[in-house]
Amino acid sequence: MRVYNFSAGPAMLPIEALTAAQSELTDWGGSGMSVLEVTHRGKPFVACAAHAESALRSLLAIPDNYRVLFLQGGASAQFSAVPMNLTASGDKVAYLNTGQWSAKAIAGACAQDLDVAVLADEKATSYTTVPSEGSFAVPADAVYLHYTPNETIGGVEFGYVPDSAGIPLVADMSSTILSRPIDVSRFGVIYAGAQKNMGPSGLCVVIVRDDLLGHSRSTTPGILEYKQMAESDSMLNTPPTFGIYLLGLILDWVAETGGLAAMGERNQAKAQALYAAIDNSQFYANPVALDARSWMNIPFTLADPALDKAFVAQAEAAGLTNLAGHRSVGGMRASIYNAMPMEGVQALIDFMTDFEQHNA
Ligand SMILES: *Cc1c(COP(=O)(O)O)cnc(C)c1O
């Protein structure tokens, strides 16, 4: 039995892609081997990686002057790799702090000898808001502006792309990439760990504008260095082959189900349904400001936290898993990424209504 898995990551993946992988797991493309066993330098795997890249380019309409890199170390490696690739010692860099993932990115920059300017910090609202558009000034001498479009733990999402005043905009899109169309040309660097909307953990996709290659510090390890990775088609060393393969299958699924515009409509409808259920009840509450509510990660609390354990246990018994909130936040969190169907969200809403009737 497949459950509705509300995990924040690694997260639910589309059954179509999993079944496709299963059907060819022991004999991939007539090779007599699984994709896990073939050399990454051989024609079949090189074609597989090229397919994943072209499918991503097509879905996101990535302009030709951007490179797509398949890296390792998760999104977290990019907290260090971004400053290593873009800055020299003593440079100024700018960050927006909207929660725990932004904070980790900021810590990555602070660990290097940089002048780190935090232009906005939503601490005063306990990170339930995003800075309003135009409320912060970007220093002209900063090398880049970094932000986290969707804070996976707090369930806080920007409803707009910040104006970086001409300097490169860097975005950690781990928990929002492929959830709707975006204009890639607004960004200098986009990076995303795969395990929310794109595939298995361990793979990190980096989309970087050409002119930002070749500015790294000499101490940057090759496997984190954008130019070397671009020039070697992300095969400076053995790439995460299975992750790249599965990414290709998942991107095919996104295309077959209507692409990003249709995905965005479905994701918005799913989120609206769940927020409406929370808002229309006296029993459940979501702390996030209306204009900053995430489509992907929806935290909510119960009127009496003493009921949390029973909620999680009964939900699990009903096939609705991984609803406990992040260990630092408590309460509940429903992550409803691309692979979560509306039926799963409706099943959660029905369960919540029932639980409230029995416990309010
Ligand atoms: C999950 C997540 C990360 C961390 O990803 P890893 O692959 O575990 O390094 C970073 N940023 C955001 C926004 C995330 O959701």
Side-chain angles (χ1 to χ4, degrees), residues 65 165 171 182 250 273 315:
N65 62 326
I182 51 165
I250 288 166

Side-chain angles (χ1 to χ4, degrees), residues 3-21:
V3 295
Y4 290 122
N5 174 10
F6 292 91
S7 170
M12 190 169 176
L13 296 175
I15 187 73
E16 291 83 351
L18 295 177
T19 308

Side-chain angles (χ1 to χ4, degrees), residues 225-245:
E225 211 271 329
Y226 296 161
K227 186 157 183 271
Q228 289 182 59
M229 280 309 229
E231 285 173 351
S232 63
D233 287 328
S234 307
M235 293 197 195
L236 200 61
N237 67 332
T238 315
T241 52
F242 190 72
I244 293 170
Y245 158 79

Side-chain angles (χ1 to χ4, degrees), residues 27-312:
D27 181 7
W28 182 58
S31 65
M33 290 176 272
S34 77
V35 67
L36 291 152
E37 298 164 297
V38 302
T39 169
H40 59 290
R41 308 248 180 236
K43 253 190 192 166
F45 188 78
V46 168
C48 172
H51 167 71
E53 175 172 346
S54 70
L56 187 70
R57 284 188 173 278
S58 147
L59 280 171
L60 283 170
I62 301 176
D64 288 343
N65 62 326
Y66 284 76
R67 302 303 301 256
V68 173
L69 311 179
F70 297 137
L71 305 186
Q72 301 188 62
S76 297
Q78 296 305 310
F79 298 156
S80 307
V82 165
M84 282 178 174
N85 275 280
L86 303 184
T87 68
S89 170
D91 278 349
K92 180 180 280 187
V93 292
Y95 283 76
L96 305 179
N97 188 356
T98 51
Q100 295 194 33
W101 288 117
S102 319
K104 289 197 173 171
I106 292 166
C110 288
Q112 298 178 34
D113 47 349
L114 292 167
D115 175 7
V116 180
V118 178
L119 307 185
D121 187 322
E122 301 303 288
K123 190 171 193 287
T125 66
S126 304
Y127 300 99
T128 59
T129 50
V130 297
S132 55
E133 204 165 357
S135 65
F136 51 88
V138 183
D141 57 345
V143 176
Y144 62 79
L145 171 64
H146 178 288
Y147 83 119
T148 309
N150 185 70
E151 285 281 358
T152 319
I153 295 169
V156 168
E157 185 167 281
F158 280 79
Y160 66 97
V161 175
D163 179 357
S164 60
I167 66 171
L169 183 60
V170 179
D172 173 4
M173 290 204 188
S174 297
S175 51
T176 183
I177 194 161
L178 301 179
S179 67
R180 74 208 74 179
I182 51 165
D183 178 359
V184 172
S185 73
R186 298 279 309 269
F187 300 88
V189 181
I190 292 169
Y191 64 92
Q195 68 272 27
K196 280 78 188 222
N197 257 345
M198 293 194 293
S201 59
L203 168 66
C204 181
V205 173
V206 174
I207 303 169
V208 53
R209 211 172 60 212
D210 278 341
D211 62 284
L212 300 175
L213 300 174
H215 301 288
S216 68
R217 301 184 186 204
S218 60
T219 49
T220 309
I223 54 166
L224 293 178
E225 211 271 329
Y226 296 161
K227 186 157 183 271
Q228 289 182 59
M229 280 309 229
E231 285 173 351
S232 63
D233 287 328
S234 307
M235 293 197 195
L236 200 61
N237 67 332
T238 315
T241 52
F242 190 72
I244 293 170
Y245 158 79
L246 205 56
L247 168 66
L249 293 180
I250 288 166
L251 295 170
D252 290 344
W253 170 79
V254 175
E256 281 156 19
T257 53
L260 294 187
M263 189 63 79
E265 281 169 25
R266 287 198 296 276
N267 283 332
Q268 186 173 29
K270 278 153 47 186
Q272 274 173 355
L274 186 48
Y275 284 119
I278 294 167
D279 292 344
N280 293 335
S281 120
Q282 301 296 312
F283 188 76
Y284 301 106
N286 167 282
V288 179
L290 288 182
D291 67 353
R293 284 174 155 190
S294 169
W295 290 6
M296 296 282 103
N297 312 97
I298 304 186
F300 60 92
T301 53
L302 276 53
D304 177 2
L307 290 168
D308 284 2
K309 274 209 170 95
F311 183 97
V312 170

